[in-house]
Each structure stands twice: as structure tokens, then as C-alpha cells.
Amino acid sequence: MADFGQYLANIKNSAVSIFEGMAVTFSWMFRRPTTIQYPDRSEKPVRDMIPERSRGVLEVDVKTCIGDLQCQRVCPIGVILIEMDKAPDGKGRVIKRFDIDVSKCMYCGFCTEVCPTNAMRHTHEFEGCSRDIRNLVLHFVDEPVPPYKLQKDVTPPTPPLGEILRTRVLRKWDASYRAWESKYVPPPPAPGGGSAEAQKGKEKKAEAQKAEEKKAEGTVEAAAEQPSRPAAPEPLPVPEGIRAGDILEAVEKAKSIPPAKAPESPAPVVAVPPPEEKAAAPAPPEPEVPPKDHVVEAIHEEQPWTKQLVKTPEPEVVHGNVDLTAEPLRVPETTDRSAAVDMEPKAEKPSRREVQEAVPEKPGFVPPPDEPDRPMLDRVLAAMPGVADCEGFCGYPSCRGYANALSSGGEFEHDLCDRGGKGSADRIALLLRKMKKKETVKTE
Amino acid sequence: MSELFTFIQGRWDPAVTYPQIVWPALVVAYGVFAVTFASLFAGITSWYERRVAGRMQCRIGPNRVGPQGVLQWLADGFKAFLKEDLVPKEADGILYRIAPYPVFVGVFCTWVILPYAPAVVGADLNVGVVFLMAITALVVAGIIMGGWASNSKWALLGGVRSAAQMVSYEIPVGFALLTAVIPAGTLSLQGIIAAQGGAPWNWMVFHSPATFIAFFVYFTAALAEGNRTPFDLPEAESELVAGYNTEYSGMRFIWFFFAEWANLYVIGAVVAAVFLGGWRLPGVGIEQQAASLWLQFAGACLFVLKALVLVNVIIWLRWTLPRLRVDQLMIMCWKYLVPAGMVLVVVAVFWVFVERGMPGFARWVAFLLCATGFFLVGLMFWRAWYNIKYGGDRLYLKFMV
Ligand code: SF4
Ligand code: SF4
């Protein structure tokens, strides 16, 4: 009988546990998934979210590299290729080439350990997806650079981590190899002729593949034969498959841009603050980090969005309770439709649907003030209640995180702020719509 | 088919509708409809299931191809088409090549008897339920064929497991269906549906305590027969790589899965037909429904809706329960489901007398069981809500993420 009791108990237990288990999984149908949709909707760039000491793609600051080749020697794989040469004026040496083949690197970190000046570092960049494996060979020297002179009691300056990689090298990965190579690598002296084919070369990539290679060979040869080259020690390494037309184009561009500043020699070391001060303020004293050479500017010109990669000092925004009734947020006299609509650019008449969405019927609704000069992040933040005991239902660690994601277009759901409720959601929606409109106006 | 034909002839002048043309055209049209329905269902379910699985595991699931990922299954199918069709060198070539088709045919043949409406059914066989069990047994043949012909130990083990499992679970399936057949007095699916009513308390599942339990027994056993988790031992990834289809690639591999997903609908539809009132509309008599085109259509919609709800439950179960061990699987079948099935048949026979002798009491029991059923559904929602509330979370009713 006891056995039969056990038998029935088994049935009951399995039924109950299956029922409870199903209730748990069912409840997840009505909860917010925890997935962060990388990279579209992550709160900030993932490189800022990964651990501080993680080893990402290598970067080297050739301005502080002393050229002792230790990294090249210690690398077990032979990832690093450094070429030193005599300086053109005959005194000392220059670093002529500093290539890191990221496709081979195993991120062991040996090279960063041996580097005496911290010129070689692991950044937090990890997205190494590239259309062409040759893109993964990172060239850090455009023009020969004199090596850094190590001095006692002087810490070499360190630019912010990843700055060089991001502004100079990395974003090219996404482009096809030739598209960027011909544009951003400083052009070697132009060979004569070939301009007629240059236009043709633009037409079709796939079809022109073979012809391009042939042409490129010819180009390199032609360049080698040119006797009237300037007295540069050696032509910069011309990658395979470069197109004559692109070179010409790049030359034209380079001419139109004011000539590049010669790479600053690290001679005025005196300017570098003493180590104690450095330790106190790890951030670089002057934000003029992005090298103002023509290469960067060319990148900016080609792809304007890269400008945002260059950090500009942002005034510290005080985050917290933003009193909606305080001074900068004035309540408009009328909250009827026409008044709110006037905030929009006059040129286009908002559709009926938009108007209805923009201004809720609720009399208590306070539309956000029109302050086009204020950063969108702040304006969105101001539209949130910013209370301290928020339970974080939006899924972001702070209001600022959510506001940032909203204003950068990473998050599309404007009504996640639970504490702010409908009013907050409506204000944010209005702001976001304005932001979108502005963008479209700009692009047009 | 003949019902549909008579229906058409009844509505239009028989002299005008040429039987020689209309009849073959109807047969072909229905065949095309059934295969299209099954294929589309299988394809879309393959995406839908992944989305549901994602949400149940706090993820999102495929949402890249097309809006919300609805075209994912097309992309997957297209990819499978482009894959090389490999046959292992030591495999039995012919058997290996034809193995997916018995599986496919076994599942798709059930559409012959799956009803949609009083007049829309492939063939209202008078041995419908038996045909159902017989034709789905063809799946076992295909799976063993594939497992054996692959000449791989994983595939063979998967095939043998599947044979043992399916043969065992045929028995509880038979008992459970028998429990429903006894009160209905017919083996034909249309007949069983006609014996039920449109209102929930007239459904077969609430007819007697025996059918109420038979509903769960059948559902469990059908899952096991269809190789669905938690009974997917034949393709247990954790120990058998992929089971009987380890060696398959490309389109042949997809056939197996096509059949599996189409089988979801078969399970749902059979349960809906046998236990949940099929296409019966509440408050509408059979003759009335059979006479009207619109009522037929409404009935078909209701039927498909019921089947889809059950498909959802199957998917839900899959992402809730872990896979059983082989011995547990057999214990579950032989120690629990088979004895339960025997008792159920006896009770069902007994209930026939109860119904005759005390119709009032039988009616009350039906109401009580109906209330129990809806109470269980409500309890499930309440438990889910409870989990959300006390799990430190909030209701989030957006399904498009
Ligand atoms: S991290 Fe290791 S493998 Fe990579 S370049 Fe440095 S030494 Fe070589
Ligand atoms: S990067 Fe560092 S280790 Fe490598 S050559 Fe320059 S100074 Fe030496």
C-alpha cells in the first residue's frame, strides 16, 4: 500500500512541478528580455563597457616609441614589423614603418609588457570584422618619425586609450580595402598617365578586379622608375592593388588641404608635466589629442560621423533631480495644439497624427522647452524625473544611461521610464521627434 | 472530399456542375491546399518557436531577417537548399536517400483525415482514428531507415531509441483515443466531432473523468510519439550528436524537421478534434452549420485556432521541461501511462452506463470538470502573474522587441 501511495505521490509531484515550471516559463513571456541588443541598442559603445584591463586590438603611439624593437623581438608570432632608417638629414634614425598584423595577434600581451614607454598598448577595441584580411594589417607610420628620446624622471605622454586606433586606423576596417587605402594612406609620388583609365576603374569593382591588379603592378613599377622623385629615403610601402586613379584623386585632395604638419618631434620634453602631477590627473591635460594632420581631416571629410570619435571635452552635467518647474523650463502660456506645433520648424506642416501624438489632451502636460543649443542628452534627461529610488525598470543602470541611449538613437522605446510615467514618456517622445526631424533636415 | 462535393452539388444545380471536372479538380485543389498549409505551417512555426523560446529564456530570438525576423525560415530553407547533399561513403545509399520520405509522408498523410469543417475534409474514413495511428507509424520506419542506413553509431542509436519509444507510446495513444471513441461510438474523426457540442462543457475532454485524464495521457503520449521534447531522445543532442539525422545535410535534413514541425499541427489538430470539440460552434446545430458556407468557415477558423493554441502549449512545454532519461521514458510509458490507459478504458465503459442511468449526474460531472479545466487555466495565469510580481519584475506586454 505504501508503494501505491508512493506511486500516486509520484504522479502528483510530477504534475505539480510541471505546472509550476510552466508557470515560470509562461511568466517570462510577459517580462522584458534581458538581452542587450549589441550593437544597436547598447547603452554606450561596448568598448566602454568591457573590463578595464581587457586586451583588445593593439595600438602604438609612434610619437613615444623609442624604436628599440623589443616588441618586435618578443612577439612569439612575428606580428609586429618595424623598419628603422637613417634620418633624411643624416642625424639619427627614424621609424619608417610600424605595422601590426592584427589578424595574427593572439593578444598575449608580451609586447605591451616589454615596451619601456607604454607606446604599445592594448586598447578596448575588439570588433575586428573586416572585408579584407589585409585591412587588419595596421600601419601606424605615415611619414618617417624620429624615435622618442627616453629621459630620466620623465614619463612619456600617453594619449587616451584607443584614440589613435579609432581615429586613424580602425574605421577603415569596414570599408573595402582599396576604398580606404588609396584615400587615407598618404599618396606616393604620382606616376604619370593612367588618368584615362582612372575613371573607368570606378565603374565596377568585381569586374575590374584582375585588371586592377595588373594595373597596380604597372603602377608600382612606374613609380619605381620615376627618376624625379623627391629625396625621401624610400617610397612608402605601396599596398598591392592600388589604383592609379585613386592615387591621383588622393593627390588632388592632399593638395587642396593645407600641408600636413611635420610630426612633432618629442624634443620639447620639458613641456610634459612631472610624474607626480601626471599621476594626480591621469587624463591628458590638453584635449588636443586628435592629431591634426591631413589624414584625419580627410577621414573626417569623407565620413563626417568619425568626428564624434574624437573626444571633445564635455561640460560635466549635473545629473539628478531636475525640477521641471525651475527656471529654464518655462511653462508655455497655452498648451493648445497650435502653440506646441509652433515649436516645430515652420517649413513643414505637421500631420494631424503627429500633432495628436505630440501634445496629449491632458491639460497638465508640460512640453519640453525649445532649447536647440542644449545637448539632446541633457534635454532628454531633463524630461525624466531623475528620482533616486528608481527601481531601474528601464533596464539601464542610471537615468543618464537611458537618456544617452535615447538621444544617441540606440534605444527606440521612449516609454520605459516607469517613474516618469506618461508625462515623461510624452516629453521624451516629443524631443526625440524633434531630434529626428533635425537630422533629416540636415541630411537633406 | 465527397462531403464537399455533395455540398457543392447541393448548392448549385448538379446539371451545371460537371462531376467529371469538378471532382478531380476538387481533389487536386484540396491536395495542394493541404500540402501548402502544412508546409507554411512548418516553416513559420520553425521561426515562431525560436521566438517563443527566446522570450521564455529571457532572450529575444531571431529578429533580423524581415520585420521581427518573420522571414528567418525562408532564409534557413534557402540556405539548406544551397548545401551539399552528402551521402556518407559507407552508408546504404538507397535507403539513406529515401529515408526522409516515409517520415514526411507519414506526417502529411494525416491531412487526409484531418477535418477543417463539416464538409472540408480529405476523406471521412470510418476507421479514422485507426488510420491516424497506422499512418503515423510510418514515421518510425523512416527514422529507423535513416538511422540504420547512415552507418553511424549515433544515428543507429537514435533510430533504435526512436523505434522503442514510438512502439511503446503507441499503446497509451491507442488507449487514450479509445477512451474518447467509446462515448462517441465511432472511429471517424468527423463522427467524434459530431458527438461533441460547441460549448466547452459539451467537449469530449469534460465528458467524464476518464476522458479528462485521457486528454492528458493522449497529449503526453502524442508528444512522445512525435519526438518532441521532453521526449526527444532519438535526437538527443547531448549524447547522440543529432540522433537519427546525424549524417544528413541540406534538404534531406530539412525534410525531417519539416515533418517534425508539421507533426505539431497534427497533434494539435487531433487533440482539438477528439477532445476539444473540433469545428463545432457553440449554439449551432450540425445541420445548420453544414448548410451554411459562412458557418463552415467560422468553424474551420475555430478549429485551426484551437489547434494553434495547443501547438503553443507544445512549444511552451518544450522550453520548460528537460529531456527524460531513456529508463525514465520507459518507466513513464509502461508504469504510468499504460496502466492509466487501461483503467481509463474501463471507466469509460462504465461511464456509458452512468450516462444512461443517471443523465443528470453525468451532466453535473461534466460541468464540474469544465469548471476544473478553466480553473486550471486561470491558476496558470495567476501563477505566472505571481512569478512576475514576486520575482522582482514587472509586466511587459510588448512582443515586438
Ligand atoms: S600581443 Fe602577443 S602576439 Fe600580439 S603582437 Fe603582442 S606579443 Fe605579438
Ligand atoms: S613600441 Fe615599445 S617596445 Fe616596441 S619598439 Fe616602440 S618603444 Fe620599443
Side-chain angles (χ1 to χ4, degrees):
Chain A
M1 208 56 221
D3 283 355
F4 191 63
Q6 184 63 47
Y7 181 82
L8 292 182
N10 284 347
I11 295 175
K12 190 198 126 216
N13 287 345
S14 53
V16 170
S17 62
I18 288 173
F19 187 87
E20 284 298 318
M22 287 175 81
V24 170
T25 40
F26 191 47
S27 76
W28 268 102
M29 291 299 290
F30 308 108
R31 302 195 206 181
R32 191 167 200 244
T34 32
T35 307
I36 296 171
Q37 296 195 47
Y38 165 84
D40 296 0
R41 302 197 189 181
S42 62
E43 183 193 344
K44 45 188 175 180
V46 179
R47 64 169 166 274
D48 297 340
M49 289 155 58
I50 59 179
E52 198 184 328
R53 296 183 62 187
S54 55
R55 297 183 193 152
V57 175
L58 288 164
E59 80 172 350
V60 65
D61 180 13
V62 279
K63 285 178 189 162
T64 54
C65 170
I66 64 168
D68 61 355
L69 309 189
Q70 285 207 61
C71 51
Q72 187 180 354
R73 258 180 246 129
V74 80
C75 177
I77 309 176
V79 166
I80 302 167
L81 176 62
I82 310 174
E83 273 178 22
M84 307 292 288
D85 203 358
K86 264 195 205 127
D89 56 358
K91 283 177 226 156
R93 303 180 308 159
V94 285
I95 307 172
K96 201 179 79 186
R97 175 174 186 173
F98 203 125
D99 290 357
I100 300 179
D101 186 354
V102 183
S103 60
K104 287 194 223 151
C105 176
M106 64 176 177
Y107 304 98
C108 63
F110 285 179
C111 52
T112 58
E113 260 171 50
V114 295
C115 183
T117 55
N118 250 348
M120 177 74 89
R121 289 183 301 174
H122 281 291
T123 61
H124 288 173
E125 297 293 340
F126 60 93
E127 294 153 313
C129 183
S130 164
R131 295 202 190 154
D132 191 320
I133 198 166
R134 286 173 297 182
N135 291 355
L136 294 176
V137 181
L138 308 179
H139 309 284
F140 284 92
V141 176
D142 297 333
E143 288 162 33
V145 188
Y148 183 74
K149 299 227 166 44
L150 212 52
Q151 295 187 2
K152 255 186 196 163
D153 302 333
V154 174
T155 315
T158 43
L161 195 62
E163 193 77 53
I164 298 168
L165 198 64
R166 277 203 296 282
T167 50
R168 296 221 31 229
V169 195
L170 209 59
R171 292 300 159 190
K172 297 163 191 166
W173 282 0
D174 205 26
S176 81
Y177 180 72
R178 286 184 197 92
W180 69 262
E181 185 72 17
S182 53
K183 279 176 194 155
Y184 302 139
V185 167
S195 57
E197 286 129 301
Q199 300 306 319
K200 241 197 284 171
K202 277 182 191 169
E203 288 169 12
K204 266 181 190 175
K205 246 193 231 167
E207 164 242 50
Q209 179 88 15
K210 255 193 181 170
E212 265 171 26
E213 267 162 28
K214 267 186 210 157
K215 213 188 291 170
E217 279 164 26
T219 315
V220 175
E221 278 162 25
E225 282 162 16
Q226 281 281 335
S228 60
R229 259 185 300 130
E234 274 275 280
L236 282 161
V238 179
E240 270 180 38
I242 196 160
R243 282 186 302 181
D246 283 330
I247 294 174
L248 282 181
E249 228 173 65
V251 169
E252 290 307 311
K253 191 167 278 171
K255 272 181 197 161
S256 64
I257 297 170
K261 248 193 278 172
E264 273 177 287
S265 76
V269 185
V270 201
V272 177
E276 307 93 58
E277 248 187 69
K278 196 78 184 160
E286 73 280 271
E288 202 257 58
V289 185
K292 280 258 187 271
D293 51 351
H294 72 283
V295 176
V296 174
E297 271 163 24
I299 294 175
H300 285 343
E301 204 167 281
E302 280 300 313
Q303 293 166 314
W305 59 271
T306 51
K307 277 180 201 161
Q308 76 196 40
L309 297 171
V310 182
K311 272 184 198 153
T312 44
E314 209 180 282
E316 188 57 36
V317 181
V318 184
H319 167 236
N321 277 316
V322 181
D323 190 359
L324 286 174
T325 55
E327 176 46 79
L329 301 158
R330 57 204 180 279
V331 184
E333 262 74 86
T334 52
T335 48
D336 70 329
R337 291 179 181 188
S338 56
V341 169
D342 280 345
M343 291 178 173
E344 310 283 336
K346 263 278 194 279
E348 51 210 296
K349 203 175 168 237
S351 69
R352 188 185 161 78
R353 184 183 146 79
E354 239 172 352
V355 172
Q356 274 172 354
E357 274 178 2
V359 183
E361 304 287 315
K362 270 198 292 180
F365 174 67
V366 185
D370 197 20
E371 310 157 293
D373 296 337
R374 217 170 152 206
M376 185 48 76
L377 170 60
D378 292 0
R379 297 169 70 188
V380 173
L381 202 53
M384 291 175 182
V387 287
D389 60 338
C390 169
E391 286 170 47
F393 181 59
C394 62
Y396 292 92
S398 66
C399 297
R400 193 180 168 77
Y402 181 40
N404 192 7
L406 280 170
S407 56
S408 64
E411 174 67 70
F412 304 120
E413 291 174 22
H414 64 279
D415 55 352
L416 290 179
C417 183
D418 195 55
R419 281 310 177 97
K422 180 107 170 63
S424 185
D426 289 338
R427 283 195 292 275
I428 293 171
L430 196 60
L431 280 171
L432 292 185
R433 217 169 2 254
K434 266 182 202 168
M435 187 170 81
K436 250 186 220 149
K437 209 164 264 175
K438 223 190 242 169
E439 271 168 18
T440 50
V441 166
K442 242 185 232 165
T443 48
E444 279 160 12
Chain B
M1 216 63 300
S2 48
E3 290 86 351
L4 193 54
F5 186 56
T6 4
F7 180 76
I8 288 174
Q9 283 202 324
R11 287 181 72 85
W12 290 285
D13 188 359
V16 189
T17 53
Y18 302 98
Q20 310 91 309
I21 301 171
V22 172
W23 173 248
L26 259 184
V27 170
V28 170
Y30 188 79
V32 169
F33 161 74
V35 171
T36 313
F37 183 89
S39 314
L40 279 181
F41 175 83
I44 293 171
T45 309
S46 78
W47 160 78
Y48 177 75
E49 171 158 21
R50 280 176 283 169
R51 279 310 290 265
V52 172
R55 285 306 292 268
M56 286 188 173
Q57 298 174 345
C58 335
R59 300 184 283 115
I60 290 169
N63 65 348
R64 285 279 156 165
V65 191
Q68 295 296 317
V70 282
L71 301 181
Q72 184 68 45
W73 60 284
L74 283 179
D76 292 346
F78 188 64
K79 180 187 161 208
F81 264 120
L82 300 181
K83 291 274 169 190
E84 187 182 357
D85 182 22
L86 276 176
V87 179
K89 200 172 155 208
E90 301 290 315
D92 185 332
I94 298 170
L95 275 186
Y96 182 87
R97 285 195 178 86
I98 62 172
Y101 302 117
V103 177
F104 193 69
V105 167
V107 171
F108 276 66
C109 272
T110 50
W111 254 268
V112 170
I113 57 152
L114 283 188
Y116 285 95
V120 186
V121 60
D124 183 18
L125 299 183
N126 57 1
V127 289
V129 172
V130 178
F131 174 82
L132 180 79
M133 289 174 61
I135 201 78
T136 44
L138 203 56
V139 175
V140 194
I143 288 181
I144 298 184
M145 226 187 259
W148 179 265
S150 295
N151 198 4
S152 144
K153 51 181 174 267
W154 310 121
L156 181 60
L157 275 173
V160 170
R161 270 188 188 187
S162 133
Q165 177 178 330
M166 288 193 177
V167 169
S168 307
Y169 276 86
E170 287 278 301
I171 298 165
V173 163
F175 276 133
L177 286 178
L178 209 55
T179 316
V181 164
I182 288 169
T186 169
L187 284 167
S188 134
L189 275 186
Q190 293 285 56
I192 295 177
I193 292 174
Q196 307 174 52
W201 50 86
N202 288 331
W203 289 353
M204 187 60 83
V205 57
F206 303 130
H207 179 265
S208 73
T211 50
F212 188 69
I213 297 169
F215 170 78
F216 294 101
V217 171
Y218 177 77
F219 200 68
T220 315
L223 285 189
E225 239 204 315
N227 286 334
R228 282 294 292 189
T229 324
F231 307 106
D232 62 343
L233 287 145
E235 43 190 287
E237 296 92 351
S238 51
E239 61 244 39
L240 290 187
V241 189
Y244 60 87
N245 54 29
T246 303
E247 305 294 337
Y248 281 87
S249 64
M251 223 36 219
R252 282 179 213 285
F253 179 76
I254 292 289
W255 282 129
F256 282 121
F257 278 92
F258 231 54
E260 193 178 301
W261 273 306
N263 197 28
L264 284 192
Y265 180 80
V266 173
I267 297 175
V270 170
V271 173
V274 174
F275 290 102
L276 300 184
W279 38 254
R280 290 297 302 267
L281 294 167
V284 179
I286 289 190
E287 281 77 29
Q288 199 187 341
Q289 195 176 351
S292 154
L293 201 61
W294 288 110
L295 285 179
Q296 295 228 19
F297 183 70
C301 286
L302 186 67
F303 178 76
V304 173
L305 185 74
K306 283 174 186 171
L308 289 186
V309 168
L310 286 163
V311 167
N312 267 297
V313 173
I314 297 171
I315 291 174
W316 171 16
L317 263 173
R318 170 167 182 181
W319 298 103
T320 305
L321 300 179
R323 182 182 301 127
L324 266 66
R325 236 168 33 216
V326 180
D327 59 327
Q328 289 169 338
L329 184 86
M330 287 300 155
I331 286 174
M332 169 130 184
C333 179
W334 292 107
K335 284 195 180 170
Y336 292 89
L337 294 186
V338 171
M342 290 174 178
V343 174
L344 289 180
V345 172
V346 174
V347 174
V349 173
F350 173 70
W351 202 261
V352 175
F353 293 105
V354 172
E355 242 190 325
R356 297 254 171 86
M358 305 181 275
F361 173 67
R363 197 117 193 92
W364 272 111
V365 171
F367 275 119
L368 206 66
L369 285 171
C370 184
T372 316
F374 281 94
F375 170 72
L376 284 178
V377 173
L379 191 66
M380 175 58 74
F381 276 94
W382 179 74
R383 287 301 297 172
W385 175 83
Y386 184 90
N387 278 326
I388 294 171
K389 189 176 175 204
Y390 294 98
D393 217 332
R394 254 170 257 200
L395 215 56
Y396 181 82
L397 291 176
K398 279 183 198 158
F399 296 100
M400 307 281 182
V401 271

